Amino acid sequence: MNKIAQFNIGDLVIHKNSRYRAIVVDVDPLFQASGNYNPQAQKREFATRNPWYRLLVDDSSQITYVEECMLIADTSQMPINNPHLPFYLKENEGHYSNANPKH
């Protein structure tokens, strides 16, 4: 069973529980991080059944790795302030695209 990711690179999202804003910089169809990265995820069997996203958190230098079910779309269109952003994405008139396409 293949699941299609709800969010794409450059999409703005909000974490359902923590309520932080972020931008998607990478999409994994299945959980790819080690248990050291997110020890709680491996304790949940369903954690590998949904897409996962690498996110840059707004007003922070933090990079997170979050399961799709924990995210909702951010419709505010407010810019993201994260010092890592230029390494991942380039901005053009409020839209973001991959800064270093690999394929």
Side-chain angles (χ1 to χ4, degrees):
M1 174 176 87
N2 291 336
K3 180 166 173 142
I4 297 172
Q6 179 180 348
F7 303 107
N8 296 302
I9 292 173
D11 285 353
L12 300 174
V13 294
I14 298 171
H15 192 281
K16 286 181 181 178
N17 293 343
S18 302
R19 303 305 298 173
Y20 61 77
R21 293 180 64 244
I23 189 165
V24 176
V25 295
D26 192 23
V27 180
D28 288 333
L30 297 171
F31 181 74
Q32 300 291 316
S34 71
N36 294 336
Y37 199 114
N38 188 342
Q40 294 303 311
Q42 289 189 342
K43 294 179 183 176
R44 299 178 312 153
E45 179 185 333
F46 64 89
T48 60
R49 294 186 188 159
N50 291 307
W52 283 73
Y53 300 89
R54 182 163 288 111
L55 309 174
L56 301 182
V57 178
D58 189 30
D59 289 331
S60 171
S61 62
Q62 186 177 5
I63 301 171
T64 64
Y65 192 62
V66 180
E67 187 177 8
E68 182 175 89
C69 65
M70 298 306 299
L71 302 172
I72 57 174
D74 175 6
T75 59
S76 73
Q77 298 304 312
M78 298 289 293
I80 294 291
N81 177 24
N82 184 299
H84 302 291
L85 190 60
F87 297 107
Y88 290 94
L89 302 173
K90 59 183 174 180
E91 189 265 337
N92 183 11
E93 296 181 11
H95 299 282
Y96 294 94
S97 61
N98 205 341
N100 301 306
K102 295 176 184 155
H103 358 94

